[in-house]
Amino acid sequence: MDPQSDYEIDELISAKSIAARVESLAKDIGTYFENTEKLIVIGLLRGSFVFIADLVRELEMPVEVDFMEVSSYGDTMESSREVRILKDLRGEIEGRDVLLVEDIIDTGHTMHHVLSLLQSRGPKKMEVCALLDKPSRREVKVDVRWIGFEIPDEFVVGYGIDYAQLNRNLAYIGKVRPPN
Ligand code: PRP
């Protein structure tokens, strides 16, 4: 039994596997942006806060870090399809190279909305890196250049991802076993 809750959590991706994947993603990202003078790395709050912290520390290039908070879910397992901008970027992205960092792409609605909003601000180049992808749940197409892990349609928690705001602090990705 997980100490934070009354439901069970089974490990899906270990902390060690995540660390290895983050290192390799950072290498690929560094190569792709090798001619970029200063990359703006944008984390979508709240779920991406752990991933972005690990990812930027593996990037061996000058980076600026900014955050945006959007919300598409309440405290349930259901998607509302609504995307609200709760906190906007502090900095400008016009003419800049941008990396958007997300914890998970599910239906794709969140990233679709964020990408169209940020594209309208005229970045030079903008790419997406998501730690997890659930392709079987996709409802709108989004271009994600880097994906950490493709996962089945399970409710996942940990490494920044919550269930009813808990379990973001787990070092691994686990799947929630729904109550019988
Ligand atoms: C989660 C996740 C993504 C989005 C993915 O965010 O962090 O942003 O849902 O779902 P989609 O592809 O179906 O749009 P959430 O709104 O739960 O907020 P959080 O990051 O603060 O946990």
Side-chain angles (χ1 to χ4, degrees), residues 35-171:
N35 297 320
T36 299
E37 203 181 310
K38 208 179 348 164
L39 181 66
I40 304 186
V41 184
I42 297 174
L44 296 189
L45 294 170
R46 286 170 273 184
S48 71
F49 79 103
V50 178
F51 180 38
I52 193 175
D54 283 348
L55 189 66
V56 293
R57 283 179 293 175
E58 293 292 338
L59 286 174
E60 294 170 358
M61 62 186 300
V63 297
E64 288 178 20
V65 178
D66 206 340
F67 293 97
M68 181 171 223
E69 184 169 10
V70 299
S71 176
S72 57
Y73 286 69
D75 286 349
T76 70
M77 287 191 185
E78 295 299 314
S79 167
S80 66
R81 308 287 187 276
E82 296 255 324
V83 173
R84 287 184 301 149
I85 304 294
L86 303 177
K87 180 212 170 294
D88 209 339
L89 300 175
R90 291 281 296 273
E92 306 290 330
I93 60 168
E94 189 176 358
R96 302 287 303 274
D97 286 351
V98 173
L99 176 70
L100 265 173
V101 176
E102 180 60 297
D103 54 342
I104 184 164
I105 312 279
D106 190 338
T107 64
H109 287 285
T110 305
M111 190 47 80
H112 177 77
H113 279 81
V114 170
L115 278 171
S116 54
L117 175 75
L118 295 184
Q119 278 299 355
S120 73
R121 297 180 186 179
K124 188 165 147 213
K125 193 187 276 184
M126 183 164 61
E127 301 293 346
V128 177
C129 176
L131 180 69
L132 303 177
D133 183 25
K134 274 191 200 173
S136 63
R137 295 259 307 160
R138 196 73 88 253
E139 292 176 10
V140 287
K141 190 181 174 301
V142 279
D143 288 328
V144 183
R145 184 164 290 272
W146 297 282
I147 287 163
F149 302 92
E150 238 182 53
I151 57 166
D153 186 14
E154 303 280 2
F155 198 91
V156 291
V157 293
Y159 200 70
I161 302 170
D162 74 303
Y163 173 37
Q165 298 308 328
L166 292 178
N167 300 295
R168 292 190 196 270
N169 56 323
L170 296 178

